[in-house]
Each structure stands twice: as C-alpha cells, then as structure tokens.
Amino acid sequence: MSEHIHRSAFLDGNSGYDDAITDVRREAALLKTGALQNAIFNSANFSSIATDEKGVIQMFNVGAERMLGYAAADVLNKITPADISDPQEVIVRAKALSLELGTPITPGFEALVFKASRGIEDIYELTYFRKDGSRFPAVVSVTALRDAQDAIIGYLLIGTDNTARKQVEADQKQLDQRLRDQQFYTRSLIESNIDALMTTNPVRHHHRRQQADGGAHWLHARRIDRRAVQELLHRSGAGRGRVSNWC
C-alpha cells in the first residue's frame, strides 16, 4: 500500500515537473515574442505600421512617428496607411495591378495590400506625406497577418526612408548630363572653328617638284598648324591630345 502511494506521488511529481517545464517554455516564448515586438516598436530606423483586416491602423511605432511626424495617438483607430500616401500614386498603382492581375482593384488601402492578401511578396516604392505636409519617398514591404486558421486579421507595412538613395541617383543623373553637355560643347566648338582655323591660322606650304611626261608639276600640300590645333583643344577643355595624324 505504501509502495503504491509512493509510486503515485512519484508520478504526480513527474507530471508537475513536466507542467513546470511547459510553463517555462511558454513563458520564454512569450518573452521572446514580447522582446521582438518591443524591438520592432522601439526601432527608429524604419516605420512599422500594423492595421486590422480593414486597414485601420492599430500599431504605429517610434520609427513611423519620427518619419511621418504623427504621434501614435493621432492615427490609431482613425486612419489607414492610404490616408498618408500620395493619392495619385495609389491610383496609378491600383490601375497597374488591375491590368497585371486581371481584376479590378479599388484605389485606396486595397491597392496597397492586394498582393500581400493573395500571398504574393510585395515590396514597392511609395511617397508618404508627413503631418506638416512635406513628403518623402519610401520603400514599403507588406505582409498579411493571419490567425491559426490562416484567416487574414491585419497587415504589417514596414517602410524605410528612400530620400538618400533618391538624392544620390539625382546627383549622378545631373553629373552625367553635365558631362554630356560638356562633350557636346567641346565637339561643337571644334567643328565650328576648324574651317576658320584652316584659313586664318598660319599654313605651311610644302612644294615638291615631280617629273611626269617630261613636264614639271608643283604639288602644294596644305597642312594645319598643329600648335594652333593644340591651342584650340586646350581652350575648349578637350585636353592635350596628340594631333600628329591631322594632315
């Protein structure tokens, strides 16, 4: 009898130990989830906007506040991400997706999350409006949030400020245009002055006497003064190239 009781107590002890292990693991998982949520919420490097299934904003992290100038209280349960996006870009996106996917898509929040709602990875460029009315380009990644039954319960839009990259692209484009303009100017300057150079700059006449059919012929070879060409190239910014083949 006492042996049975002892065994029962031992088994009950194991059961309690297993339950404790399960509780610890569950707590650890919750802590990890909470830590991840805190990391996302407190990150100032990217905007993280979570919505419900209808698009109404439910989470607006520190990065979103910094980038967009809104406090979370200004937007939670009040607006959708479409309300802070360039409306013309949203319209264009809706039309493009309608053609691409062969189904009508309404301009607005649906256009921002339609691909994600169909399980399609979606990353795109979008212009956001700040609270003060200014705007900035962003790269947005959209993910559908689903429950255990795979039903959509909301969306997560993670955005990064794309201003710096856009500025680099604009500066490079401007530099390329300046180089093209300089090349065009240089070429035009040389072409427009070459005829005048041949007639107004000093010309060396070289005479060679040749005998043919018993008669004397004088061949006159006019050569462009190389120093004059070098000077023109230098003034035009084309560099100091050799002109030994200019004859």
Side-chain angles (χ1 to χ4, degrees), residues 42-56:
N42 293 317
S43 174
N45 296 321
F46 58 87
S47 67
S48 182
I49 302 174
T51 75
D52 60 20
E53 71 280 6
K54 295 180 181 179
V56 180

Side-chain angles (χ1 to χ4, degrees), residues 8-29:
S8 177
F10 179 77
L11 291 175
D12 288 343
N14 275 350
S15 176
Y17 177 77
D18 290 341
D19 289 343
I21 291 295
T22 301
D23 289 342
V24 168
R25 287 174 177 170
R26 184 183 298 114
E27 185 68 22

Side-chain angles (χ1 to χ4, degrees), residues 49-52 54-60 68 70-85 109 129 131:
I49 302 174
T51 75
D52 60 20
K54 295 180 181 179
V56 180
I57 295 174
Q58 301 298 307
M59 184 188 78
F60 200 76
L68 292 157
Y70 291 95
D74 296 331
V75 299
L76 294 181
N77 295 308
K78 296 178 182 178
I79 63 174
T80 77
D83 295 319
I84 54 176
S85 304
F109 181 71
F129 286 135
K131 185 177 182 179

Side-chain angles (χ1 to χ4, degrees), residues 74-140:
D74 296 331
V75 299
L76 294 181
N77 295 308
K78 296 178 182 178
I79 63 174
T80 77
D83 295 319
I84 54 176
S85 304
D86 186 320
Q88 292 303 314
E89 291 185 11
V90 176
I91 291 172
V92 169
R93 177 172 172 79
K95 290 181 178 178
L97 288 176
S98 297
L99 291 174
E100 177 186 347
L101 302 175
T103 184
I105 298 173
T106 305
F109 181 71
E110 182 184 15
L112 301 183
V113 301
F114 189 85
K115 277 190 171 182
S117 70
R118 300 300 188 272
I120 304 172
E121 181 182 15
D122 201 11
I123 300 175
Y124 52 84
E125 292 188 4
L126 183 69
T127 299
Y128 276 145
F129 286 135
R130 297 186 179 93
K131 185 177 182 179
D132 63 8
S134 61
R135 46 192 289 155
F136 69 95
V139 175
V140 182

